[in-house]
Amino acid sequence: MKATSPLHRVVIIGAGFGGLEAARHLGHQPVDVTVIDRSNHHVFQPLLYQVAGAALDISQIAWPIRHVLRRFKNVTTLMAEVDGVDTTAKTVRLTDGKRIPYDTLVIATGATHAYFGHDEWAQFAPGLKTLGDALSIRQHLLTVFEQAEREPDPDKRQKLQTFVVIGAGATGVELACTIAELALEEMPGDFRHADTRTARVIVVEAASRVLSSFPEPLSDYVLKTMEHIGVTVMLNCPVTECHADGVVCNDKRIDAGAVFWAAGVRASPAAQWLNVPADRAGRVKVEGDLHVAAHPDIFVIGDTALVEQENGKPVPGLAPAAKQQGQYVAELIKARLHNRPAPRPFRYRNYGNLSTIGKHTAVVDFGKVKLRGRVAWAMWALAHIYFLIGVRNRLMVALNWLWLYIKGDRGARIILSRKS
Amino acid sequence: MKATSPLHRVVIIGAGFGGLEAARHLGHQPVDVTVIDRSNHHVFQPLLYQVAGAALDISQIAWPIRHVLRRFKNVTTLMAEVDGVDTTAKTVRLTDGKRIPYDTLVIATGATHAYFGHDEWAQFAPGLKTLGDALSIRQHLLTVFEQAEREPDPDKRQKLQTFVVIGAGATGVELACTIAELALEEMPGDFRHADTRTARVIVVEAASRVLSSFPEPLSDYVLKTMEHIGVTVMLNCPVTECHADGVVCNDKRIDAGAVFWAAGVRASPAAQWLNVPADRAGRVKVEGDLHVAAHPDIFVIGDTALVEQENGKPVPGLAPAAKQQGQYVAELIKARLHNRPAPRPFRYRNYGNLSTIGKHTAVVDFGKVKLRGRVAWAMWALAHIYFLIGVRNRLMVALNWLWLYIKGDRGARIILSRKS
């Protein structure tokens, strides 16, 4: 690995949890780092469902990438879209035709929702991966309630006030619970004709339990809690049709005013860019030190990478895993530059798995210790506020949650339209 | 004025400052009130330029109308667009064909930007009247800086970093100053290639002074302060052309990366709905008690109304004037209902005119007393925080300003795109 420019050039594609962490750990180092992202901001994805549910506003969970990296004078941020990598010339190709040369490349481009071969469902069942997605879902959700208020026919009104969430992973559970709490607890007093307490929130899941990444006893607890909040859960119920008026699963038709997708993700097209094989979810299989076989100068991290653990299972697609990988790659690049021995292969340290179910309950899996209920919820809330960037946003989110919990009042119930 | 339903029906079109104030003062009264607005939220327009300038986020200056009016059980909120009024049948016609009957009608539909017969300029020079407008301007502004960072040609980069604001009224002055402070003070450290300190912000104004609603000595002070902040002001400079690359005024071509419109407003089409004459700005001339001649049951208030004062000048199109008119009409309706004598004709009480110039200075005109500088700024800030709705939003805005002033760090520099 010889530097061909005065400084070794590291290009990082994607400023999610993995890419941003890699950039930070290469800050103030004798390397020339370029971070390329198609948007101008880093998003705290674990709270995206709260933007969709109108509890938080966009700026509270998003930061301009160049501002976060401002103090690292060796790091340049480019807002641009990548459409390929030339591994021979060692350049990244942008959609505007420009090429950015690299000595070492880190691909951290994440994942997007996948419709299992039914891309036409995307228009009827928007997914939740970006701020734009969250705002679309918020608009759709709030607009349906406004339509119901104006609808004189009670059957049509009930259909409008039926919400289907496809998928009972963490995002699906969180989204469904926040919609249920909005409709059943917080909004009834705001409407005069429609009774939002009659709204139905239905989660349809192909598997036999909710939150399948958690141990089975916790899944049972989550299911009961969801039902207590007012969410209907339909298990063993794979969706076979999805259209403007609802979904079909197990030959049962469910009419709905809005359908949201939280069922599957697919890695970004890094495998195509590199012309290397991918697994079924589009992930690039990487070696123990996260480089791509045959390309020692290219690393793939986060949701785009398939990293096998000692137990044979892949590292999960979670924020802490991506951050650990970002830091690992930065340390490895520094070791190479300073001719220090390479670090030992990457090992994912699982500090625990958290998921929240509504406003009062969460489940936490620390491996040996498992928690649920209000104490788990407090841990979830503290952890999420802690991992936000900056004191202001922590205060803002805490303040918004305080109001939501004490007064049942969400801060961001704003429908934006061309005319509004 | 005889009630044709069990309760007298008041329909209020528009939930800006005037309409919302009227609805609140009719709350808990023996009348059936319906508030119709095409958006679901009330906007605090005086701070809209801060959303455009990425200092505040949308939810901090906007509230769901139905939530604000939630406690008044006699008030129904409808999100719908009005396309006419049938004064014979006494109904309001919605764009979906529905009709809403009224006994008394209050039209408070505000104003929109006007391009003086050049509607084709709207695409090149967006104005600032709604949250959607503010977000568009924010996107445009932030995107131009991102383009400049990627532009290798210094001339093109300088053109990109040139911003033209058309009009030197309060909105134009505030918008120009916030763009200048963003580019010249706060953002330079974030970029590596482009030097945002070389950005130019130009205000072009057809009249001979800025803020012409203020006394002349204050205008001179504002002009000097703007120049000190780094804004170039071109007076006596009417715009004659406006296109994708900039503007032309006094036969001088100014190339720009972005052009914003703050030059003129036009009242909403209430005059057409009622088939009554309007003045040049589209306003409906109303009688001393704000009703429309020949329609004693129809009131027009706020920016849509032309209300003459004793000195012959019209009541200015300001938030306090609209609120006073909203309250006045509510009191008048209550007096009629209870067969009390009608209140005396409406009289605008001018409690002072405030405008801010950048982060440290404002001008205040109390009539006899005139203030400028930091004390005026503090009064401006306190007044604006006071008039926000709800403790949470006051805290949020105060917190955002604190960070902006102490750390030069804006909270909402987020570019939203379909893909972001």
Side-chain angles (χ1 to χ4, degrees), chain A residues 40-41 57 59 66-67 70 72 75 79 96 130 132 146 150 190 192 392 396 409 413 415 420, chain B residues 40-41 57 59 66-67 70 72 75 96 130 132 146 150 190 192 392 396 409 411 413 415 420:
Chain A
N40 84 323
H41 51 272
D57 213 340
S59 68
R66 61 173 70 262
H67 196 69
R70 161 191 190 107
F72 305 119
V75 179
M79 179 178 159
D96 65 2
T130 67
E146 296 294 334
R150 289 173 55 193
D190 289 10
R192 299 290 175 261
R392 176 178 48 194
M396 294 269 188
D409 176 15
R413 276 172 47 197
I415 301 175
S420 70
Chain B
N40 83 323
H41 50 272
D57 213 340
S59 68
R66 60 173 71 261
H67 196 69
R70 164 192 188 106
F72 305 119
V75 179
D96 65 1
T130 67
E146 296 293 335
R150 289 173 53 192
D190 289 11
R192 299 290 175 261
R392 175 179 49 193
M396 293 270 187
D409 175 17
R413 277 172 47 197
I415 301 175
S420 70

Side-chain angles (χ1 to χ4, degrees), chain B residues 212-337:
Chain B
S212 54
S213 66
F214 282 80
E216 212 156 331
L218 287 182
S219 289
D220 293 342
Y221 171 77
V222 170
L223 180 65
K224 285 198 191 92
T225 309
M226 289 174 76
E227 285 168 348
H228 179 75
I229 289 169
V231 176
T232 305
V233 181
M234 298 170 67
L235 297 170
N236 303 304
C237 200
V239 169
T240 48
E241 273 181 51
C242 188
H243 43 73
D245 291 316
V247 300
V248 174
C249 65
N250 288 352
D251 295 327
K252 190 174 173 328
R253 188 189 156 94
I254 308 172
D255 287 338
V259 180
F260 303 118
W261 185 262
V265 296
R266 190 180 167 75
S268 58
Q272 285 103 290
W273 293 348
L274 302 177
N275 199 19
V276 296
D279 75 346
R280 252 168 38 110
R283 294 177 296 186
V284 175
K285 188 167 170 357
V286 293
E287 304 296 308
D289 68 354
L290 310 182
H291 85 262
V292 181
H295 296 290
D297 45 6
I298 300 181
F299 299 87
V300 181
I301 62 174
D303 291 357
T304 315
L306 172 64
V307 187
E308 271 179 16
Q309 299 183 87
E310 282 166 7
N311 61 10
K313 286 187 186 166
V315 171
L318 296 172
K323 286 170 90 167
Q324 289 173 26
Q325 291 172 14
Q327 184 179 355
Y328 176 88
V329 165
E331 298 306 331
L332 190 147
I333 292 170
K334 285 190 268 185
R336 285 189 186 175
L337 281 173

Side-chain angles (χ1 to χ4, degrees), chain A residues 355-372:
Chain A
S355 193
T356 182
I357 314 113
K359 287 196 286 197
H360 304 293
T361 298
V363 286
V364 180
D365 174 19
F366 287 126
K368 281 176 190 160
V369 179
K370 293 167 182 52
L371 293 174
R372 59 193 214 186

